[in-house]
Amino acid sequence: GQQLNQSPQSMFIQEGEDVSMNCTSSSIFNTWLWYKQDPGEGPVLLIALYKAGELTSNGRLTAQFGITRKDSFLNISASIPSDVGIYFCAGFTMEYGNKLVFGAGTILRVKS
Amino acid sequence: NAGVTQTPKFQVLKTGQSMTLQCAQDMNHNSMYWYRQDPGMGLRLIYYSASEGTTDKGEVPNGYNVSRLNKREFSLRLESAAPSQTSVYFCASSVGGGGGYTFGSGTRLTVV
């Protein structure tokens, strides 16, 4: 079953606002990944994190690998209309045989 | 630069019909995967192939079979489609060893 708890489930924000979403688990992860899915497309990798405490940026996106190795955060600064989509956290954990496991996703809608 | 190619993009089946979803990657990746995406449930692994010549069950394998035809191609077969298999199916590939996955654009399947 689902091993990653992703929140919030959805958010509707004003253009220009900052956005935060997170993923937590009871399992220890050795890699965290954040994907974005546009309507009608497959998920595309945004950021990969490989070390506890790691903070990595990709343009306006910043993600962190939690110190406990059981959580990760994604922040989007100054949101724009093209940020709409579904954001998935995903990770590798030995408890799942090192196959990628996904959160349920955060649906982001932006008001222009 | 095709990446991962899935066919068909859309399909409607009657209950009990069979069909095969095709997937091919041109990145020389070792591992390939089939996921299904349902609202509010993220992506769930159906089957995977860690390397050419091997296949293994994922989280939700019942009602499906797979074939790793060669290093490039990994097909998913529904022998007797059921309405519960209405979903969006994604194929993905990776180099293996904990690297990020590259996804195709999906097949939207409706079983009536």
Side-chain angles (χ1 to χ4, degrees), chain A residues 35-97:
Chain A
Y35 283 84
K36 183 194 177 197
Q37 183 181 26
D38 290 324
E41 298 295 328
V44 173
L45 183 64
L46 298 173
I47 293 179
L49 303 156
Y50 300 105
K51 249 174 28 175
E54 181 181 352
L55 187 71
T56 297
S57 293
N58 178 5
R60 292 179 296 105
L61 278 60
T62 302
Q64 185 162 24
F65 193 139
I67 287 290
T68 65
R69 297 174 64 192
K70 294 183 178 182
D71 57 6
S72 179
F73 304 86
L74 176 70
N75 296 313
I76 305 173
S77 62
S79 56
I80 60 178
S82 62
D83 289 335
V84 300
I86 306 176
Y87 291 80
F88 291 102
C89 63
F92 289 103
T93 172
M94 288 298 293
E95 292 187 33
Y96 197 50

Side-chain angles (χ1 to χ4, degrees), chain B residues 8-106:
Chain B
K9 287 194 178 300
F10 301 94
Q11 183 72 48
V12 179
L13 290 179
K14 293 182 179 177
T15 298
Q17 285 185 318
S18 62
M19 80 161 294
T20 300
L21 281 64
Q22 307 287 351
C23 175
Q25 53 91 9
D26 62 4
M27 296 171 286
N28 202 35
H29 283 171
N30 295 316
S31 304
M32 298 185 73
Y33 312 84
W34 277 104
Y35 284 86
R36 60 177 288 172
Q37 183 179 22
D38 301 293
M41 302 193 74
L43 292 114
R44 293 181 293 167
L45 184 63
I46 304 171
Y47 269 94
Y48 67 102
S49 170
S51 61
E52 187 179 356
T54 69
T55 61
D56 284 289
K57 294 178 181 179
E59 185 184 352
V60 288
N62 291 345
Y64 306 96
N65 283 300
V66 290
S67 295
R68 183 75 182 266
L69 304 168
N70 48 56
K71 192 170 186 179
R72 290 187 64 246
E73 298 172 288
F74 189 39
S75 62
L76 178 72
R77 183 160 178 84
L78 287 71
E79 289 292 351
S80 178
S84 60
Q85 294 178 305
T86 293
S87 188
V88 183
Y89 291 86
F90 288 100
C91 177
S93 70
S94 76
V95 295
Y101 295 6
T102 300
F103 284 83
S105 58

